[in-house]
């Protein structure tokens, strides 16, 4: 099988439609369709059932999927080994993190890194979903959930304090029943800060929900209600004022993770060390840890 066609097959299997798979591979929908047809003709089997809901694997497609994922794992391992052998501080690095952390913490540091190393290009992706290090969707990931993948090396980057915020200049309601809250959407309602907010104001009404911290900050600054926000975000917003609370909302640790095959890539190691020096020394870094 042609490896390029295998990548097309895997993208369609994972995304379910030609359009979504094409966007993932940066190819047009007609091109995806032609390459899938060529692969099916070369194998002599129909790999997908076309339904109104999208592309569904046939039994033959499911069998091919297992072999295709094995080919992908070998190809990516080969690519990582080659990258690891590269001793030049140049090339591209794809970094993934959440929206607010990317904007307020990583963006200025990554920009400074590229200023010091002009032959390195950093692609900073801010997204709520977890990118796969094994599939090279990202080279370095910063997130609040520790990594449990066996081939991922992780380091505790920093502890982020959270605090309670309200619209600057507004008056705090004297009756808890008049308090309105801005918090996470229902899919993230069990996060520590959301739970703290419910416990601190049990009689309050939830006025606004969002899975996006920036949206929460804007809503809070616009008077929608009180919000618990990461301090690097809340402190930087001119429309917000911090409220003292006892106990304080729980903070979160931020973890850096990268695939162990990339641990000797000079540009990755340099970026990790720069981030650790800028954000982590006071946190008692314990060094590299396996997943």
């Amino acid at each position: 099988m042609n490896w390029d066609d295998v990548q097309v097959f895997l993208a369609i299997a994972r995304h379910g439609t030609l359009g979504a798979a094409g966007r993932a591979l940066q190819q047009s929908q007609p091109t995806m369709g032609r390459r899938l047809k060529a692969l099916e003709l070369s194998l002599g089997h129909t790999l997908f059932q076309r339904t109104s809901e999208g592309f569904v694997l046939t039994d033959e497609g499911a069998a091919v999927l297992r072999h295709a994922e094995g080919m992908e794992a070998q190809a990516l391992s080969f690519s990582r080994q080659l990258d690891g052998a590269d001793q030049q501080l140049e090339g591209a690095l794809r970094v993934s993190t959440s929206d607010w952390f990317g904007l307020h913490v990583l963006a200025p540091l990554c920009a400074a890194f590229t200023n010091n190393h002009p032959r390195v290009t950093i692609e900073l992706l801010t997204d709520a979903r977890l990118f796969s290090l094994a599939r090279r969707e990202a080279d370095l990931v910063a997130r609040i959930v520790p990594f449990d993948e066996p081939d991922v090396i992780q380091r505790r980057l920093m502890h982020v304090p959270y605090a309670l915020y309200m619209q600057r200049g507004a008056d705090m309601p004297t009756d808890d029943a008049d308090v309105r809250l801005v918090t996470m959407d229902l899919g993230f309602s069990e996060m520590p800060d959301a739970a703290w907010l419910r416990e601190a104001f049990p009689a309050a009404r939830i006025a606004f929900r969002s899975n996006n911290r920036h949206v929460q900050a804007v809503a809070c600054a616009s008077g929608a209600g009180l919000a618990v926000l990461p301090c690097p975000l809340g402190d930087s917003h001119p429309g917000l004022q911090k409220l003292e609370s006892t106990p304080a909302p729980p903070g979160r640790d931020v973890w850096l993770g990268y695939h162990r095959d990339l641990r000797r890539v000079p540009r990755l190691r340099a970026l990790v060390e720069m981030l650790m020096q800028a954000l982590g020394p006071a946190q008692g870094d314990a060094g590299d840890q396996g997943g």
Side-chain angles (χ1 to χ4, degrees):
M1 289 187 289
N2 182 290
W3 170 236
D4 291 336
D5 291 339
V6 171
Q7 289 180 294
V8 167
F9 167 77
L10 285 170
I12 297 172
R14 287 165 178 160
H15 294 279
T17 66
L18 292 178
R23 288 190 292 273
L25 296 183
Q26 297 184 336
Q27 295 189 26
S28 68
Q29 183 171 329
T31 298
M32 298 291 289
R34 286 195 301 271
R35 297 184 70 168
L36 174 59
K37 184 176 181 180
L39 178 61
E40 290 180 324
L41 288 174
S42 68
L43 295 176
H45 293 285
T46 299
L47 303 179
F48 292 98
Q49 179 182 355
R50 281 70 167 173
T51 73
S52 59
E53 302 297 324
F55 282 60
V56 179
L57 286 167
T58 62
D59 289 344
E60 293 82 3
V64 170
L65 178 63
R66 292 191 293 271
H67 293 289
E69 288 177 334
M71 291 178 63
E72 179 188 48
Q74 291 182 349
L76 290 173
S77 178
F78 181 63
S79 175
R80 289 191 297 264
Q81 292 290 346
L82 288 179
D83 282 347
D86 179 12
Q87 296 302 308
Q88 298 299 317
L89 202 59
E90 61 181 341
L93 285 172
R94 176 174 285 191
V95 181
S96 167
T97 192
S98 61
D99 54 357
W100 74 265
F101 194 77
L103 176 59
H104 292 279
V105 181
L106 289 190
L109 293 174
C110 288
F113 183 85
T114 58
N115 287 337
N116 293 331
H117 305 286
R119 298 176 69 179
V120 175
T121 299
I122 292 180
E123 182 179 1
L124 182 58
L125 307 174
T126 56
D127 201 302
R129 77 181 181 94
L130 300 180
F131 284 76
S132 170
L133 291 166
R135 293 203 297 266
R136 293 298 297 273
E137 293 178 342
D139 300 309
L140 182 66
V141 173
R143 71 189 202 192
I144 59 175
V145 180
F147 298 83
D148 56 9
E149 297 90 334
D151 292 324
V152 171
I153 294 173
Q154 64 179 333
R155 303 179 73 173
R156 189 168 76 102
L157 176 61
M158 65 183 298
H159 181 79
V160 177
Y162 282 50
L164 184 66
Y165 292 87
M166 69 180 297
Q167 182 184 34
R168 184 172 295 279
D171 295 325
M172 183 70 181
T174 56
D175 188 339
D176 280 0
D178 295 329
V179 174
R180 298 188 301 166
L181 304 179
V182 174
T183 188
M184 300 297 294
D185 70 298
L186 292 175
F188 295 92
S189 61
E190 297 308 313
M191 293 186 70
D193 59 279
W196 181 92
L197 196 58
R198 290 196 304 271
E199 293 174 3
F201 301 95
R205 182 176 70 86
I206 295 177
F208 194 95
R209 294 183 184 273
S210 176
N211 68 333
N212 186 295
R213 296 289 189 183
H214 274 293
V215 172
Q216 291 178 25
V218 170
C220 180
S222 300
L226 306 182
V228 173
L229 298 168
C231 291
L233 168 60
D235 291 350
S236 68
H237 198 296
L240 296 176
Q241 61 178 342
K242 185 185 294 183
L243 301 176
E244 296 300 326
S245 53
T246 304
R252 301 299 296 268
D253 287 338
V254 176
W255 298 84
L256 282 181
Y258 53 93
H259 199 283
R260 65 172 61 254
D261 287 348
L262 299 182
R263 64 189 182 276
R264 294 189 179 89
V265 175
R267 61 186 182 275
L268 178 64
R269 293 296 299 184
L271 178 59
V272 169
E273 293 306 321
M274 184 261 206
L275 295 176
M276 294 302 303
Q277 290 176 13
L279 302 173
Q283 310 304 325
D285 171 42
D288 291 356
Q289 302 173 27

